[in-house]
Amino acid sequence: MTEAGDLTSVPASVIIRPIPFLVIFKDITHVFSMDAIGRELLSIAFPAALALASDPVASLIDTAFIGRLGAVELAAVGVSIAIFQQASRITIFPIVSITTSFVAEENTLEKMKAEEEEANKAKNVHANTLAIQDSLEKGVASTTNNNKNQPQQTPTEVKLTSDTMSNNGNKANKKGKKTIKSASTAMIIGLTLGLVQAFVLIFTSKVLIGIMGVKPNSAVMSPAQKYLTIRSLGAPALLLSLSMQGIFRGFKDTKTPLYATVASDGLNIILDPIFIFVLRLGVSGAAIAHVISQYFMLLILFIRLAKEVNLMPPKFGDLQFGKFIRNGGLMLARTIAVTFCQTLAASMAARLGTTPMAAFQICLQVWLTSSMLADGLAVAGQAILACYFAEKDYNKVTAAASRVIQMSFVLGLGLSVFVGLGLYFGSGVFSKDPAVLHLIAIGIPEYG
């Protein structure tokens, strides 16, 4: 049996019928196979999952440090993080998802076009060389002495000329940058949405916290408002960096976002105890440390991306805003539905009191962080499927889609066990309050 990763292309004229439900069982024995598709999926999915977990991990770090301040502070940060994350997911995740697909497709088409042009150039040079050799063999070359204005090239000269052109082309390719219209569009949209999100959250923070069930005279209100207001200043950096991560994933480069994420989280870990405990800024210190780390990650990604891509296309009209809006509509609806459920749950927990909200915050952050592993697999599937569709290799499209579904099911089962055991044995890392730990233990079956 031919492995899924070695499937060959089918003609573009083949009619693609609706994929039946049973396609998820296609080559199911190869779910753990390290063939071409399996290796490519894992090489993209694992770094992507770690990079996607950047903001949840940073929030988890804040939760761990703030948990030492008390249940009130932990509940306040829980409400603020719930509002900020839901706003971020609604504004950027649809854009990030389609950015990966658009960039992967556009980059693949550009590569195919470049390869075709190189092949045509090589073919023309070879044909010219054969023609000149044939003329020399027939003795026609002597007639060139009568036409001084049109000297003929010898095969050696042709070879030298073609080699020189090839070398110049390689140098130009090395020095040149890619022009990916969808990449520039995604960055502009990400920055715009980040500024809008920051403006809305800063000036409506008290109202939003009240909607979450926190009363104006509650002890939670003041620290929650401080944390949300300061944290919102990092929204432009977060959304723009997520757009850049989507671009890198479209290039199948998930290591660059991973390195930037590790550096950002490392800086956050260093700054958190300094601002919270040494400078005695409390929840405000945690928010400041988080914002600084977000802009640090943005700087790393921007410098790296600027070396590879023309950040603005030759013409403003080349930007693809309409394409993003049309294709992002369904993703936006799906994201709103998911975030609405999470926000509603956080609101209900806040209405129950400080202790239930603190327990809910810990469980939610652990669950969100672990769920990023599944999102990493989704990113890998998007990038690979977009490339296969651009190449019109529909056999590989089917094989890759089946493999992603199968691996997602196995990953879901593994994460259920991991999260359940992690919360049961490791919840003491986030809080020492016996009441909070008791509620976490009760909620393990739901989050596991």
Side-chain angles (χ1 to χ4, degrees):
M1 177 180 291
T2 303
E3 290 190 346
D6 300 324
L7 293 173
T8 57
S9 302
V10 297
S13 59
V14 173
I15 298 176
I16 303 185
R17 297 181 175 84
I19 300 178
F21 173 74
L22 294 178
V23 73
I24 64 174
F25 299 107
K26 178 181 174 62
D27 295 329
I28 195 169
T29 55
H30 294 160
V31 63
F32 296 114
S33 176
M34 287 293 99
D35 55 12
I37 291 179
R39 290 193 300 270
E40 190 171 18
L41 278 172
L42 292 179
S43 65
I44 298 175
F46 185 68
L50 297 179
L52 279 170
S54 169
D55 196 59
V57 166
S59 298
L60 200 61
I61 294 170
D62 287 349
T63 301
F65 282 112
I66 293 171
R68 297 290 184 270
L69 297 177
V72 173
E73 288 78 6
L74 187 57
V77 171
V79 172
S80 300
I81 289 178
I83 295 172
F84 184 86
Q85 287 185 340
Q86 304 323 314
S88 298
R89 289 175 69 89
I90 290 175
T91 51
I92 196 61
F93 271 81
I95 301 300
V96 172
S97 298
I98 60 179
T99 295
T100 299
S101 299
F102 287 166
V103 171
E105 180 182 12
E106 191 174 346
N107 190 46
T108 301
L109 291 175
E110 289 295 327
K111 285 182 179 179
M112 293 172 63
K113 182 179 178 180
E115 290 173 358
E116 184 178 354
E117 290 177 353
E118 288 296 325
N120 290 335
K121 287 181 181 179
K123 186 177 181 181
N124 291 335
V125 171
H126 181 66
N128 291 336
T129 302
L130 291 178
I132 293 173
Q133 288 178 343
D134 184 60
S135 298
L136 290 173
E137 291 175 358
K138 292 180 180 179
V140 180
S142 60
T143 61
T144 59
N145 295 327
N146 298 327
N147 192 350
K148 297 180 180 180
N149 295 328
Q150 295 180 351
Q152 296 288 331
Q153 290 179 315
T154 65
T156 304
E157 290 172 337
V158 171
K159 184 176 185 303
L160 291 174
T161 303
S162 63
D163 288 344
T164 303
M165 292 174 62
S166 177
N167 291 334
N168 291 337
N170 290 335
K171 291 179 180 178
N173 288 336
K174 290 179 180 179
K175 294 181 180 179
K177 298 179 181 180
K178 299 177 183 178
T179 299
I180 307 295
K181 301 173 185 177
S182 53
S184 303
T185 307
M187 290 179 62
I188 293 174
I189 293 176
L191 178 60
T192 303
L193 291 176
L195 293 173
V196 171
Q197 179 180 328
F199 180 84
V200 172
L201 291 181
I202 289 173
F203 289 98
T204 63
S205 58
K206 189 172 183 178
V207 175
L208 293 174
I209 294 171
I211 294 175
M212 293 293 288
V214 179
K215 298 179 180 180
N217 57 352
S218 172
V220 174
M221 174 59 77
S222 179
Q225 190 174 0
K226 288 180 182 178
Y227 186 89
L228 181 58
T229 301
I230 297 174
R231 177 78 177 268
S232 298
L233 296 174
L238 173 63
L239 273 67
L240 185 54
S241 64
L242 285 174
S243 297
M244 292 183 184
Q245 289 183 32
I247 296 170
F248 280 112
R249 293 177 202 130
F251 295 148
K252 295 184 180 179
D253 177 8
T254 53
K255 292 183 179 180
T256 299
L258 174 60
Y259 297 150
T261 299
V262 171
S264 173
D265 289 343
L267 180 62
N268 192 27
I269 292 174
I270 295 172
L271 295 180
D272 256 344
I274 295 175
F275 283 107
I276 295 174
F277 303 113
V278 177
L279 300 180
R280 300 182 182 277
L281 295 177
V283 295
S284 298
I288 294 172
H290 195 108
V291 170
I292 293 174
S293 67
Q294 291 293 344
Y295 279 97
F296 181 64
M297 178 170 63
L298 172 63
L299 180 63
I300 295 174
L301 292 174
F302 184 83
I303 293 175
R304 186 69 180 87
L305 187 63
K307 295 179 180 179
E308 297 186 14
V309 179
N310 289 317
L311 299 181
M312 284 299 294
K315 297 180 181 179
F316 186 80
D318 291 336
L319 297 174
Q320 303 173 338
F321 294 112
K323 183 179 179 181
F324 272 75
I325 294 173
R326 287 193 304 271
N327 291 275
L330 294 177
M331 284 294 299
L332 178 62
R334 174 255 184 194
T335 304
I336 290 176
V338 173
T339 54
F340 174 78
C341 293
Q342 294 176 357
T343 305
L344 180 62
S347 177
M348 294 297 102
R351 284 177 168 82
L352 293 175
T354 301
T355 300
M357 184 59 212
F360 175 82
Q361 162 65 5
I362 293 172
C363 292
L364 179 63
Q365 289 306 313
V366 172
W367 178 80
L368 284 175
T369 304
S370 62
S371 69
M372 291 299 109
L373 295 175
D375 285 343
L377 188 58
V379 165
Q382 287 175 339
I384 292 174
L385 289 175
C387 293
Y388 291 163
F389 270 115
E391 296 171 355
K392 293 181 170 49
D393 198 338
Y394 300 118
N395 281 336
K396 283 189 176 181
V397 169
T398 303
S402 302
R403 186 71 63 83
V404 169
I405 295 173
Q406 294 161 7
M407 293 177 73
S408 298
F409 179 75
V410 175
L411 180 61
L413 293 177
L415 286 177
S416 296
V417 176
F418 175 78
V419 172
L421 294 176
L423 282 173
Y424 185 80
F425 293 104
S427 56
V429 174
F430 303 99
S431 178
K432 299 299 182 181
D433 191 323
V436 173
L437 297 178
H438 175 69
L439 290 178
I440 291 175
I442 295 175
I444 286 177
E446 297 294 332
Y447 285 92

